[in-house]
Amino acid sequence: MSSAPKKRKLSIAVGDKVDALWPADGEYYPAKVRAINEDGTIALDYADGDRRNDATTSELRCKKPLLEAPTTPEAPPSEPSEPSPINPDDALRLSYAPDTTSHRETEYEAIRRFFAERLEQRRGGSLYVCGAPGTGKTLHVERARAHVLGSIPTRDAKACFLRGTAFASGDAFLRAVAKGVCSSSVLQGDPERGELLLRLKETCDAGTKTNPVLRVVVVDEIDSLLKCGGEALRKVYGLATRETSTLALVGVANAIDVPRRAFFGDIPRNSEEASRHGTVVFRPYEHKQLVDIVKQRVGEGVFAAPALEFVARKVAAHSGDARRALDACRAALLSARRHGEHPVSMARAAEAIRESGGATHGPLAAVASLPHHAHVALRAALDLSTNADRSFTRSALATAYSRLQPQLGRRGDCAGAADDSVALLESAGLVGAAPDRRSKALKARNP
């Protein structure tokens, strides 16, 4: 007589981290449970700043173990199962946020210290976080904010996250600031801009309060406000610069080449306020850092070392954008699965880079992105391409390669390394197969 299967249910509590469905695209993204409503639906804060108030348990994937229904005393205890590692495909998605990140310790600490000092002093200030796309700016700002302010009661600190692209006017931005960090009375009566600014100033003024509330406004893509709400943004910055202000403004922007004052105005130098205003710059990732980031997500053995090195060098030479590297690696992984390959080979990596447009940024960028052994092969190819049609055989390339790279030892090693290098050179558009003898001959291309 078979026993009925055990019923399993999700145990959800406020503060739990989950993967939650976003109905607009049918994908699951990291989120945190903000509240459980009276009707049983769940209010969520997504990691990217979006919110939702009507999720159901069927739309959640809880990150903590499922609780089993109680069993009878006679039931034997079950062996604890090891948590299964995350699927590499899921780990390479941009929506996946690992618990820890590398190569951003200095930048994270500067942002965390800004929040901590503002909370300790209960005084406002401003922080401008800038850098190239895909360098981790928003992720680390939100992590630092959550680390310092996440467990602080609202009577001590209030914070809101805004996206600059969401506003069509400066007035809309001002209202979002007031709604995010002030009481509803500030917006009562639908005040005009001048009146609203006056109310914001009064609310964010520490005055003689013994324990004022810190009010933190984080604005992602703040550069998009320049066209429609630049004056309103500078007004908010003006509130944050006041000596008795409790308003802290954090702006995140890709525009590393645009002066900070274009967003916030001039910083008062040689004054007490100057210590409360700072800038943190996120530099593009180098290729070794991109390799570490991918390995941190998928572990060892998923990618052949030359394949991962190739993707990282290509992306680092063009932009240093970690999101682009993750996209290319995921495309290569999916292609390798379709071809039944493991680990992901150089051919799949080169294919993913070509499809993403990574090989079309000029010969200098292409050469700069190549690893050392491909540089040796390129030198050998140039030495061989002295005849009229600039062609040579793979065998001749392997021989020339072995002369330039004697430390490889056996000729078979040189032939394998030469073949690997040829794949790199072809994907970079530096050599190509000769049209009449495709399987045997190569032709060097003029840059």
Side-chain angles (χ1 to χ4, degrees):
M1 192 177 201
S2 62
S3 59
K6 297 176 182 178
K7 294 182 180 180
R8 301 168 74 88
K9 63 178 182 178
L10 283 172
S11 174
I12 297 294
V14 174
D16 281 354
K17 293 182 178 180
V18 298
D19 287 330
L21 180 72
W22 183 251
D25 59 9
E27 294 282 354
Y28 283 79
Y29 299 101
K32 187 175 182 179
V33 176
R34 184 172 74 254
I36 299 176
N37 303 319
E38 292 182 359
D39 61 358
T41 57
I42 300 162
L44 299 170
D45 289 333
Y46 287 86
D48 62 0
D50 285 322
R51 285 189 162 199
R52 188 180 172 199
N53 298 315
D54 58 351
T56 62
T57 53
S58 63
E59 296 173 321
L60 306 184
R61 295 173 180 169
C62 197
K63 290 188 175 180
K64 66 181 187 178
L66 292 170
L67 298 181
E68 297 188 351
T71 57
T72 59
E74 293 79 12
S78 58
E79 292 292 327
S81 58
E82 291 292 327
S84 58
I86 187 169
N87 187 307
D89 175 17
D90 293 333
L92 291 171
R93 291 178 183 271
L94 301 185
S95 58
Y96 171 70
D99 292 334
T100 58
T101 54
S102 53
H103 306 295
R104 288 295 184 235
E105 292 81 5
T106 301
E107 293 87 345
Y108 173 82
E109 177 57 24
I111 299 169
R112 186 206 63 78
R113 189 168 59 249
F114 172 82
F115 285 124
E117 289 175 354
R118 303 284 69 72
L119 180 63
E120 180 183 3
Q121 299 170 11
R122 300 296 174 94
R123 287 295 184 272
S126 69
L127 184 68
Y128 180 48
V129 182
C130 60
T135 51
K137 303 181 296 297
T138 304
L139 173 65
H140 288 87
V141 167
E142 277 299 280
R143 282 191 169 169
R145 183 195 62 79
H147 177 77
V148 176
L149 304 176
S151 60
I152 302 298
T154 55
R155 67 176 179 272
D156 294 323
K158 293 183 178 180
C160 70
F161 181 94
L162 307 176
R163 204 174 291 278
T165 53
F167 305 107
S169 68
D171 287 344
F173 170 66
L174 288 176
R175 292 179 183 280
V177 170
K179 182 178 180 181
V181 296
C182 302
S183 64
S184 57
S185 61
V186 173
L187 290 171
Q188 191 172 0
D190 195 19
E192 297 293 334
R193 174 183 289 199
E195 177 64 22
L196 178 57
L197 284 170
L198 181 60
R199 294 182 185 183
L200 278 172
K201 179 181 177 181
E202 293 174 350
T203 302
C204 298
D205 192 351
T208 58
K209 302 171 187 173
T210 54
N211 197 25
V213 178
L214 177 67
R215 305 173 194 276
V216 178
V217 178
V218 178
V219 186
D220 195 13
E221 299 177 277
I222 197 171
D223 43 340
S224 63
L225 282 172
L226 278 180
K227 292 182 179 179
C228 66
E231 184 60 30
L233 177 60
R234 282 185 277 273
K235 292 291 186 182
V236 174
Y237 172 76
L239 294 178
T241 61
R242 297 178 67 250
E243 184 178 354
T244 58
S245 174
T246 61
L247 177 66
L249 177 63
V250 180
V252 184
N254 292 334
I256 191 172
D257 56 335
V258 176
R260 182 185 194 277
R261 65 174 179 269
F263 302 106
F264 291 164
D266 291 320
I267 304 172
R269 298 191 177 188
N270 302 321
S271 64
E272 186 179 341
E273 293 92 15
S275 63
R276 296 188 282 111
H277 307 277
T279 300
V280 177
V281 179
F282 280 68
R283 301 295 178 187
Y285 286 109
E286 299 175 0
H287 85 273
K288 290 182 179 179
Q289 295 173 333
L290 292 173
V291 169
D292 288 345
I293 288 170
V294 174
K295 284 184 177 181
Q296 185 183 32
R297 289 177 174 240
V298 303
E300 300 283 350
V302 176
F303 290 84
L308 182 53
E309 180 82 5
F310 172 69
V311 171
R313 284 184 177 273
K314 279 288 185 181
V315 174
H318 179 243
S319 64
D321 186 336
R323 295 177 300 190
R324 185 173 182 184
L326 294 172
D327 273 340
C329 285
R330 184 167 181 267
L333 176 63
L334 296 178
S335 177
R337 286 180 177 175
R338 290 194 297 270
H339 288 81
E341 292 181 1
H342 182 80
V344 178
S345 67
M346 175 67 71
R348 302 284 79 80
E351 173 188 292
I353 287 294
R354 282 198 302 272
E355 290 179 355
S356 69
T360 60
H361 301 286
L364 292 179
V367 172
S369 68
L370 294 172
H372 172 72
H373 68 280
H375 284 161
V376 176
L378 181 59
R379 167 67 186 277
L382 292 174
D383 290 345
L384 290 170
S385 60
T386 56
N387 55 345
D389 64 354
R390 301 173 62 83
S391 63
F392 47 87
T393 64
R394 291 176 183 269
S395 176
L397 179 61
T399 301
Y401 184 93
S402 65
R403 287 198 301 268
L404 295 171
Q405 195 84 315
Q407 65 268 31
L408 287 177
R410 299 189 304 277
R411 172 140 170 52
D413 293 338
C414 287
D419 285 341
D420 185 26
S421 299
V422 165
L424 288 168
L425 297 178
E426 286 182 316
S427 69
L430 298 172
V431 301
D436 54 337
R437 293 179 294 169
R438 183 172 296 274
S439 61
K440 294 183 179 179
L442 297 166
K443 177 178 287 190
R445 292 177 175 167
N446 288 316

